[in-house]
Amino acid sequence: SLFGTRCDDAAGVLTKQKKKSGWTLSFFSETAPTSAYSSPARSLGDTGITPLSPSHIVNDADPDVSEQQSFLVVVAIDFGTTSSGYAYSFTKEPECIHVMRRWEGGDPGVSNQKTPTTILLTPERKFHSFGYAARDFYHDLDPNEAKQWLYLEKFKMKLHTTGDLTMDTDLTAANGKKVKALEIFAYALQYFKEQALKELSDQAGSEFENSDVRWVITVPAIWKQPAKQFMRQAAYQAGLASPENSDQLIIALEPEAASIYCRKLRLHQMIELSGKTAVNGYSGRDTVGAGFAQAKEHIRRNRQSRTFLVENVIGEIWSELEEGDKYVVVDSGGGTVDLTVHQIRLPEGHLKELYKATGGPYGSLGVDYEFEKLLCKIFGEDFIEQFKIKRPAAWVDLMIAFESRKRAAAPDRTNPLNITLPFSFIDYYKKFRGHSVEHALRKSNVDFVKWSSQGMLRMSPDAMNALFKPTIDSIIEHLRDLFQKPEVSTVKFLFLVGGFAEAPLLQQAVQAAFGDKCRIIIPQDVGLTILKGAVLFGLDPAVIKVRRSPLTYGVGVLNRYVEGKHPPEKLLVKDGTRWCTDVFDKFISADQSVALGELVKRSYTPAKPSQLVIVINIYSSEHDNVSFITDPGVKKCGTLRLDLTGTSGVAVPARREIQTLMQFGDTEIKATAVDIATSKSVKVGIDFLNY
């Protein structure tokens, strides 16, 4: 590894040969005993590098960054846990954002500018349909036939919850069969690509090429690096862009996209919950629900037009912000809640990420899980598990019925909410248990859920509100923690965005907890905020200027061994020089501020001047204080291999300089190694999935 212990290729070969004849690593005569301790650097037999002193950092822009390609259109895909959609804008008229065509299908009581994130594969595992179409087709299949088809929903959460995500991670379909996650994500993105290109071609009246499009895909800010990279790999597989043309695809962080859109909000486009002042004729003293109903009506009237005008101005709320002012974006979606603190930098109003994104799996899915737990309590966990497997389409039906009732929950509601039970639920339960659903409800002692003679579960408003409570409590608690941080204490605004932000119960809870600390603002079309912001980000990616590095990055090197400072098991003696192996040479620390495009340079020299191959391994860790690449939690995430053969005719200085550069600040990281004497260079993208 870069910290290689081998000091030249020949030595590496030699040790291998000697091993064959029963010799051991004691070939390095003065090396400390290695029996109980295995060094990655030693076992790899790689060549080693050592820092050139003084090691220096230069923060400058990459001279190799070519002129930006010109794209005719930016298409943003909001790939959500529960629902997804796309929007686009032509670069010639950036003030018009077009939200995709209305979807076929759609649910009563749910706006259909997005489609459910559901996908259906044929029994042969080929893509069949996505969204409402997938759901409806699957639903109409005969139950026995349905068992052969692979139906997946809400699968995006797998990327957040899988600790050791790889290219081979599996997802489980409704029928229990496993399928590769990468394949599913690629199918979904390919579907959006085809839909968008078809719509663009129809609009333009001529064939629209993929090369004319800059794609933006949104991901939660709290996702770990492997999940973000996974999304990029899926997009490459779907043909949105390619590794050679990686700039064609931007991975945008959801709260950042929301932040960019909120900057543009005019007074009539938002609702202020904390309202000391009336916004759009609505004051904060009215109930939250009333203001929202008014806003929704306004949107409903305008829904036929799917083009939103974004004025090229800074909105009124934004114009009140001054240099250094802070605000929080709370992005509450189906799967996760992301909290991001941004700070304004004038004159351009660029955004600086002030505090590393936090959050967790507290999206509206949590309410669905609570409903499922309630059903298990009433009907028995064994029955619910069986029903999901044996009647998967009817289970989907039941959850759709719950979804529309869930959206009707409100703090001031007094009348009960009725949830229709599918006939096959009632029928299957009788076969399974030998008694009726009504009997189960009576026996369960769950007194706030009754059975109505029309075949419905009748829930009291309090019962419905109780299903929201654990998820909302988690969000409020998380926000409370955030507000205790000194850098967050003087926040002016809290923007509540994402699909779950439409829930009046969440709005009221946030207002009650934080209304006295800052002004709480909700964009009217709150479910589309991220999508529109992602389009604006694609039109001008430089708007986010400073991010926080989520990880500590460094390379492995050999350092001169210092008695008393370095552990004896790290000692390696070669040609009379005492080296400490496996040293982690830090490029950047977790949570450090990084400017967009910032380059960090380090210079190294081969531990052995005659080395012909330089191997530099890149490592990452979530911890800040890392000393050795063998420390717990340190993971290898890239290798730069610089071949110096064929450069024998070049005059090489006695101490050959190998410059290593890492470019940070974007949602992805690139590394380069350059041999200064010959200008030979090699590049690599940091890879969290294949190591």
Side-chain angles (χ1 to χ4, degrees):
S1 59
L2 321 188
F3 348 74
T5 53
R6 289 301 165 252
C7 290
D8 63 3
D9 271 6
V13 174
L14 236 147
T15 34
K16 285 179 198 141
Q17 287 170 343
K18 297 202 174 182
K19 273 187 187 161
K20 278 183 192 163
S21 54
W23 291 28
T24 66
L25 270 174
S26 59
F27 156 68
F28 293 129
S29 54
E30 299 160 72
T31 304
T34 58
S35 53
Y37 175 82
S38 153
S39 146
R42 286 196 178 131
S43 58
L44 289 168
D46 285 342
T47 51
I49 57 165
T50 184
L52 262 183
S53 52
S55 192
H56 58 296
I57 303 181
V58 183
N59 297 338
D60 53 6
D62 186 347
D64 297 342
V65 174
S66 54
E67 280 302 295
Q68 285 299 327
Q69 266 173 283
S70 55
F71 299 101
L72 298 178
V73 67
V74 169
V75 180
I77 299 172
D78 179 1
F79 195 130
T81 303
T82 46
S83 61
S84 298
Y86 67 84
Y88 58 93
S89 176
F90 293 99
T91 47
K92 281 199 168 60
E93 38 173 27
E95 64 287 343
C96 292
I97 296 179
H98 308 269
V99 177
M100 64 197 186
R101 296 177 175 148
R102 290 182 57 192
W103 295 96
E104 298 308 312
D107 291 333
V110 179
S111 85
N112 57 354
Q113 284 173 313
K114 285 181 167 181
T115 192
T117 308
T118 51
I119 195 166
L120 182 63
L121 306 188
T122 66
E124 297 74 44
R125 296 175 173 252
K126 293 277 173 277
F127 175 80
H128 179 273
S129 47
F130 187 89
Y132 289 118
R135 215 177 60 186
D136 296 347
F137 185 92
Y138 181 62
H139 183 260
D140 294 342
L141 288 169
D142 169 81
N144 284 325
E145 203 185 342
K147 285 178 205 160
Q148 305 308 312
W149 290 66
L150 287 90
Y151 179 79
L152 295 102
E153 60 178 359
K154 303 182 175 123
F155 48 85
K156 180 179 161 189
M157 274 305 277
K158 182 82 176 186
L159 298 197
H160 180 68
T161 53
T162 304
D164 51 350
L165 185 69
T166 70
M167 305 291 245
D168 294 323
T169 296
D170 284 328
L171 296 171
T172 308
N175 61 1
K177 289 187 179 161
K178 298 246 185 284
V179 57
K180 291 265 172 287
L182 190 68
E183 216 168 283
I184 295 299
F185 279 83
Y187 275 144
L189 290 170
Q190 192 176 352
Y191 170 79
F192 278 112
K193 175 188 157 187
E194 285 163 10
Q195 291 287 315
L197 286 176
K198 184 176 184 312
E199 182 171 341
L200 289 165
S201 299
D202 290 353
Q203 272 218 346
S206 62
E207 199 60 29
F208 224 88
E209 297 295 327
N210 186 59
S211 56
D212 296 328
V213 179
R214 162 167 265 162
W215 297 95
V216 182
I217 299 175
T218 61
V219 301
I222 52 169
W223 268 14
K224 299 220 177 340
Q225 295 300 109
K228 293 173 187 171
Q229 184 187 332
F230 185 93
M231 209 53 151
R232 181 168 279 274
Q233 289 304 128
Y236 289 161
Q237 197 162 315
L240 271 68
S242 65
E244 300 70 46
N245 195 7
S246 58
D247 290 350
Q248 190 177 358
L249 169 67
I250 297 175
I251 302 286
L253 305 181
E254 285 161 7
E256 286 187 356
S259 208
I260 292 164
Y261 179 65
C262 289
R263 298 168 47 155
K264 305 272 189 183
L265 285 176
R266 307 306 303 264
L267 283 177
H268 64 274
Q269 295 168 312
M270 58 195 169
I271 294 148
E272 183 163 350
L273 293 188
S274 42
K276 314 284 179 286
T277 55
V279 175
N280 202 15
Y282 150 67
S283 85
R285 285 182 294 283
D286 304 335
T287 65
V288 168
F292 223 71
Q294 201 179 325
K296 278 189 165 160
E297 177 57 28
H298 171 75
I299 292 167
R300 196 185 61 72
R301 284 200 298 270
N302 294 326
R303 185 153 291 146
Q304 296 321 309
S305 149
R306 291 172 11 266
T307 300
F308 292 85
L309 286 177
V310 182
E311 295 170 58
N312 196 13
V313 294
I314 297 294
E316 286 94 339
I317 284 277
W318 215 261
S319 57
E320 294 178 32
L321 289 168
E322 294 162 358
E323 170 88 49
D325 278 349
K326 303 163 193 173
Y327 60 95
V328 179
V329 177
V330 179
D331 168 21
S332 45
T336 52
V337 167
D338 256 351
L339 314 177
T340 312
V341 185
H342 280 152
Q343 189 172 32
I344 300 288
R345 299 177 69 190
L346 296 175
E348 304 89 346
H350 286 142
L351 313 180
K352 173 181 178 177
E353 186 184 1
L354 200 64
Y355 185 75
K356 194 165 65 173
T358 59
Y362 318 125
S364 62
L365 274 189
V367 186
D368 300 355
Y369 292 141
E370 289 299 317
F371 178 59
E372 200 176 311
K373 269 163 56 181
L374 178 65
L375 292 176
C376 289
K377 193 172 171 187
I378 298 170
F379 302 109
E381 199 172 328
D382 53 344
F383 166 72
I384 294 296
E385 286 310 309
Q386 273 303 301
F387 180 70
K388 281 162 87 171
I389 292 166
K390 293 281 193 285
R391 300 282 186 276
W395 173 255
V396 170
D397 255 12
L398 174 56
M399 291 314 284
I400 291 168
F402 174 68
E403 180 68 30
S404 74
R405 297 293 76 209
K406 177 171 105 178
R407 286 167 185 265
D412 46 4
R413 191 181 174 102
T414 51
N415 49 338
L417 295 125
N418 293 324
I419 297 158
T420 309
L421 280 182
F423 171 73
S424 64
F425 185 100
I426 299 166
D427 185 50
Y428 193 70
Y429 184 77
K430 197 161 176 56
K431 285 182 188 148
F432 190 89
R433 285 271 190 260
H435 58 239
S436 70
V437 161
E438 196 175 351
H439 176 80
L441 266 163
R442 273 204 308 273
K443 205 178 68 174
S444 71
N445 297 328
V446 178
D447 52 359
F448 43 77
V449 182
K450 300 275 185 270
W451 178 246
S452 86
S453 52
Q454 293 87 27
M456 294 179 177
L457 288 180
R458 176 164 287 176
M459 288 184 80
S460 72
D462 288 351
M464 179 60 95
N465 296 0
L467 298 183
F468 279 78
K469 194 174 179 335
T471 303
I472 289 177
D473 286 353
S474 295
I475 295 172
I476 298 297
E477 188 186 338
H478 223 87
L479 268 166
R480 280 221 168 90
D481 289 350
L482 185 68
F483 271 92
Q484 300 237 287
K485 305 269 186 281
E487 58 267 69
V488 186
S489 54
T490 54
V491 161
K492 268 204 178 173
F493 295 111
L494 184 153
F495 291 99
L496 195 54
V497 303
F500 194 33
E502 291 179 14
L505 290 164
L506 176 61
Q507 294 174 11
Q508 190 199 42
V510 172
Q511 167 57 20
F514 306 104
D516 57 342
K517 290 189 173 61
C518 58
R519 289 165 67 184
I520 296 162
I521 288 168
I522 307 178
Q524 270 186 359
D525 48 350
V526 62
L528 297 174
T529 304
I530 288 157
L531 195 47
K532 293 180 193 173
V535 174
L536 294 170
F537 185 42
L539 292 165
D540 178 18
V543 65
I544 304 280
K545 279 288 185 258
V546 179
R547 281 205 181 85
R548 295 263 162 183
S549 174
L551 298 171
T552 296
Y553 291 96
V555 299
V557 297
L558 294 169
N559 271 351
R560 293 296 172 105
Y561 188 83
V562 180
E563 206 69 55
K565 176 187 169 191
H566 292 138
E569 69 270 17
K570 298 283 185 192
L571 172 64
L572 169 83
V573 181
K574 187 75 183 94
D575 298 339
T577 305
R578 293 159 65 82
W579 296 106
C580 177
T581 68
D582 305 332
V583 175
F584 184 96
D585 191 30
K586 194 187 293 182
F587 268 66
I588 204 149
S589 296
D591 209 22
Q592 191 174 329
S593 283
V594 200
L596 192 73
E598 183 168 328
L599 275 186
V600 180
K601 290 185 188 178
R602 291 272 194 286
S603 289
Y604 300 100
T605 190
K608 177 94 168 177
S610 58
Q611 245 166 254
L612 293 177
V613 176
I614 309 285
V615 178
I616 302 178
N617 285 326
I618 303 163
Y619 292 80
S620 66
S621 168
E622 290 182 19
H623 306 295
D624 198 4
N625 47 347
V626 184
S627 305
F628 296 99
I629 60 166
T630 49
D631 289 355
V634 177
K635 294 192 174 85
K636 186 168 163 187
C637 58
T639 299
L640 289 160
R641 199 177 171 82
L642 196 54
D643 186 351
L644 303 180
T645 51
T647 58
S648 50
V650 181
V652 174
R655 298 197 74 194
R656 188 170 202 147
E657 184 180 355
I658 306 296
Q659 205 175 66
T660 306
L661 305 89
M662 268 192 225
Q663 186 171 14
F664 294 93
D666 191 6
T667 37
E668 282 100 9
I669 293 159
K670 300 175 183 79
T672 312
V674 185
D675 175 22
I676 297 299
T678 61
S679 298
K680 264 198 169 188
S681 74
V682 55
K683 287 191 175 185
V684 66
I686 304 289
D687 184 346
F688 295 95
L689 296 172
N690 293 310
Y691 282 93

